[in-house]
Amino acid sequence: SVEVMHNKFGIFGREEGAQHRRRRRLSNALPNGGCEITWPQPPKKPFETAYAASYPGCGARMTWNLVEALTGLWTGDDWDSNNRGKRVVTIKTHYPHDAGKLVPWDDNINRALVIIRNPMHAIPSFFNHIYEMKNHLPVHSQRAPVDAWIEWRDRLAAIQISRFEKFVDYW
């Protein structure tokens, strides 16, 4: 049998006659029982980038990390915060919400992975993120106090529900 790497997706496997098993190595086993994590790489062959679109609070960051972990390929976002430009398999965006935008090469992107979460959970999660940023707290570190949530909800929830509807209609 011969170990081969299928470059399209960075998938490793063994070829044995007619049998063919594939798996991507997320880590390499070390002789002392430890492991070495394999980090995502830029795609090496031509590929088609997709948007990973979600309303804020729907799990965009988690999806970004999962796509990288499962494919072994770079992902990016609409603000190019990791300086990877077009060399990514997905671009995280919250567009048409104010927190997102379309990338300058939008005309070349013909597909999207759309992440939808129940707005009863997404909107409070988005508020928690706003609260953390406003108070200079680590992201995903805590929930906002209930009284802060109630004040924001009573003032802005209807607007956020309308923006959620607009997001779903757009995608």
Side-chain angles (χ1 to χ4, degrees):
S1 78
V2 177
E3 189 155 297
V4 296
M5 177 177 174
H6 300 274
N7 289 326
K8 182 174 181 182
F9 300 109
I11 297 172
F12 288 88
R14 286 186 115 31
E15 289 190 2
E16 300 176 36
Q19 292 183 329
H20 189 106
R21 295 184 328 219
R22 293 184 191 176
R23 66 181 173 86
R24 189 177 83 74
R25 293 189 179 159
L26 300 176
S27 62
N28 296 317
L30 299 176
N32 64 359
C35 70
E36 173 186 64
I37 295 173
T38 58
W39 296 103
Q41 302 295 316
K44 291 180 175 53
K45 291 189 172 188
F47 60 94
E48 192 173 338
T49 299
Y51 278 115
S54 71
Y55 185 84
C58 287
R61 178 69 57 177
M62 179 183 65
T63 302
W64 182 354
N65 291 331
L66 286 171
V67 169
E68 282 196 346
L70 294 171
T71 66
L73 301 173
W74 278 356
T75 59
D77 66 16
D78 46 5
W79 302 98
D80 197 23
S81 63
N82 54 13
N83 296 312
R84 294 176 176 172
K86 295 181 181 181
R87 299 178 308 147
V88 295
V89 292
T90 61
I91 297 171
K92 176 181 79 69
T93 187
H94 296 306
Y95 186 85
H97 190 277
D98 297 344
K101 65 179 184 173
L102 298 175
V103 293
W105 63 94
D106 173 66
D107 289 342
N108 298 327
I109 301 174
N110 299 311
R111 59 188 182 168
L113 163 68
V114 181
I115 301 106
I116 302 287
R117 183 180 183 193
N118 184 328
M120 295 277 294
H121 303 292
I123 292 171
S125 179
F126 178 44
F127 170 71
N128 286 330
H129 178 73
I130 292 169
Y131 180 84
E132 289 167 337
M133 295 297 101
K134 183 179 176 182
N135 291 285
H136 309 286
L137 300 168
V139 177
H140 303 298
S141 64
Q142 66 185 42
R143 290 188 173 159
V146 173
D147 59 331
W149 158 247
I150 291 171
E151 185 276 324
W152 185 88
R153 179 200 66 193
D154 292 349
R155 193 169 39 87
L156 297 170
I159 293 168
Q160 293 302 320
I161 291 167
S162 176
R163 289 179 178 174
F164 191 95
E165 291 172 356
K166 183 178 176 184
F167 171 85
V168 172
D169 286 345
Y170 179 84
W171 291 102

